[in-house]
């Protein structure tokens, strides 16, 4: 069975990236959680996807411009924003996918190196959005695992779909994301997944939108499934 990863927690139950949403994921059987890391003005890591609070609170202020005490006082549908130290302590027994949000990803990595548990490299897989940010994270966390960045995934996925040899586009130390479809063509197919596996790479099903798509990912042999929904059989 693949590793099921809950994308920002079960948001049908509570606001994204909140303890209540992650608790709901754990109750639903997830053993891995995906979240987004950003910095406050005074250098604390807060779990938030967007750079500002517009979408969640109608508040245009940027998290980077707020002190952690200000962030701690915010509530999204009654739920506080979660700081990384609290997340790490609360979900110490789980796997984590850490989306290191730009433009502060390098600085975030330096802060993370000071506050993260000693087993972070074994527990977490990182997503960086630029080669420079990936290099900065790797300096802070030697041996860290990374998801392939979007241009890498796009090149590899096109080659796999067109049955090219894949060649040097696939690295054995990477996990590549595939969406369910590309221009109407299904990518959740055993033959496509097998092309990555032959190169020693792993593949993650990126946000299947229906239970049928999730089941197709299981049948295709994906290593991981990142989902907004629940685990399906």
């Amino acid at each position: 069975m693949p590793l099921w990863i809950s994308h920002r927690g079960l948001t049908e139950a509570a606001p994204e990236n909140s303890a209540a949403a992650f608790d709901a994921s754990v109750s639903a059987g997830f053993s891995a959680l995906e979240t987004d890391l950003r910095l406050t003005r005074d250098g604390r890591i807060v779990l938030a996807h967007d750079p500002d609070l517009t979408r969640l609170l109608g508040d245009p202020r940027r998290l980077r411009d707020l002190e952690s005490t200000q962030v701690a006082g915010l509530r999204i549908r009654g739920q506080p924003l979660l700081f990384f130290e609290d997340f790490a302590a609360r979900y110490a027994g789980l796997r984590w996918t850490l989306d290191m949000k730009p433009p502060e990803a390098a600085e975030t990595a330096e802060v993370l190196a000071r506050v993260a548990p000693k087993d972070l490299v074994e527990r977490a897989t990182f997503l960086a959005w630029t080669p420079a940010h990936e290099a900065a994270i790797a300096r802070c966390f030697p041996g860290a695992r990374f998801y392939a960045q979007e241009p890498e995934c796009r090149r590899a996925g096109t080659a796999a779909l067109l049955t090219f040899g894949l060649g040097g586009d696939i690295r054995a130390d990477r996990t590549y994301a595939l969406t369910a479809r590309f221009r109407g063509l299904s990518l959740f197919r055993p033959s496509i997944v097998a092309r990555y596996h032959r190169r020693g790479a792993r593949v993650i099903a990126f946000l299947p939108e229906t239970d049928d798509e999730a089941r197709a990912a299981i049948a295709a042999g994906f290593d991981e499934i990142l989902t907004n929904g629940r685990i399906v059989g």
Side-chain angles (χ1 to χ4, degrees):
M1 288 292 291
L3 176 70
W4 286 85
I5 307 169
S6 185
H7 185 235
R8 306 183 208 165
L10 271 182
T11 54
E12 66 183 39
E16 63 184 50
N17 284 321
S18 67
F22 291 130
D23 286 349
S25 298
V26 174
S27 296
F30 284 91
S31 58
L33 305 174
E34 185 271 352
T35 191
D36 313 279
L37 304 191
R38 292 191 179 276
L39 285 181
T40 63
R41 184 164 62 191
D42 52 343
R44 286 191 70 189
I45 299 173
V46 62
L47 276 51
H49 178 271
D50 299 352
D52 58 52
L53 297 162
T54 302
R55 178 173 61 91
L56 295 177
L57 286 174
D59 183 339
R61 290 180 297 173
R62 295 172 65 248
L63 287 162
R64 192 67 171 111
D65 296 332
L66 299 178
E67 299 288 339
S68 57
T69 53
Q70 294 175 286
V71 172
L74 298 171
R75 294 295 182 271
I76 301 170
R77 303 205 313 268
Q79 295 294 320
L81 278 75
L82 195 58
F83 290 99
F84 178 79
E85 300 100 307
D86 301 321
F87 172 86
R90 193 178 187 103
Y91 308 108
L94 279 67
R95 296 271 299 277
W96 305 330
T97 293
L98 302 180
D99 188 341
M100 308 289 282
K101 289 298 187 185
E104 299 96 5
E107 186 180 353
T108 302
E110 294 176 357
V111 175
L112 187 62
R114 296 196 294 269
V115 302
K118 293 181 179 179
D119 64 346
L120 182 71
V121 170
E122 291 73 32
R123 184 179 302 283
T125 303
F126 292 93
L127 175 60
W129 290 89
T130 70
H133 286 158
E134 181 172 322
I137 296 164
R139 284 193 296 271
C140 292
F141 298 99
R145 295 184 302 271
F146 289 92
Y147 288 100
Q149 294 168 25
E150 185 177 356
E152 298 175 77
C153 293
R154 189 165 53 247
R155 288 194 301 269
T158 300
L161 183 62
L162 298 177
T163 68
F164 295 158
L166 294 181
D169 286 339
I170 296 294
R171 289 166 47 185
D173 60 342
R174 304 292 258 189
T175 300
Y176 292 83
L178 285 174
T179 57
R181 296 186 177 277
F182 175 73
R183 295 183 179 177
L185 299 174
S186 173
L187 299 182
F188 287 5
R189 303 194 330 238
S191 60
I192 290 179
V193 172
R195 292 180 187 125
Y196 289 86
H197 286 171
R198 282 197 293 270
R199 294 283 174 177
R202 295 171 58 83
V203 196
I204 180 170
F206 184 76
L207 299 179
E209 295 182 358
T210 66
D211 287 354
D212 284 343
E213 287 183 352
R215 292 187 184 99
I218 297 170
F222 275 81
D223 304 286
E224 302 178 6
I225 297 176
L226 176 67
T227 180
N228 287 318
R230 293 180 178 270
I231 296 171
V232 302

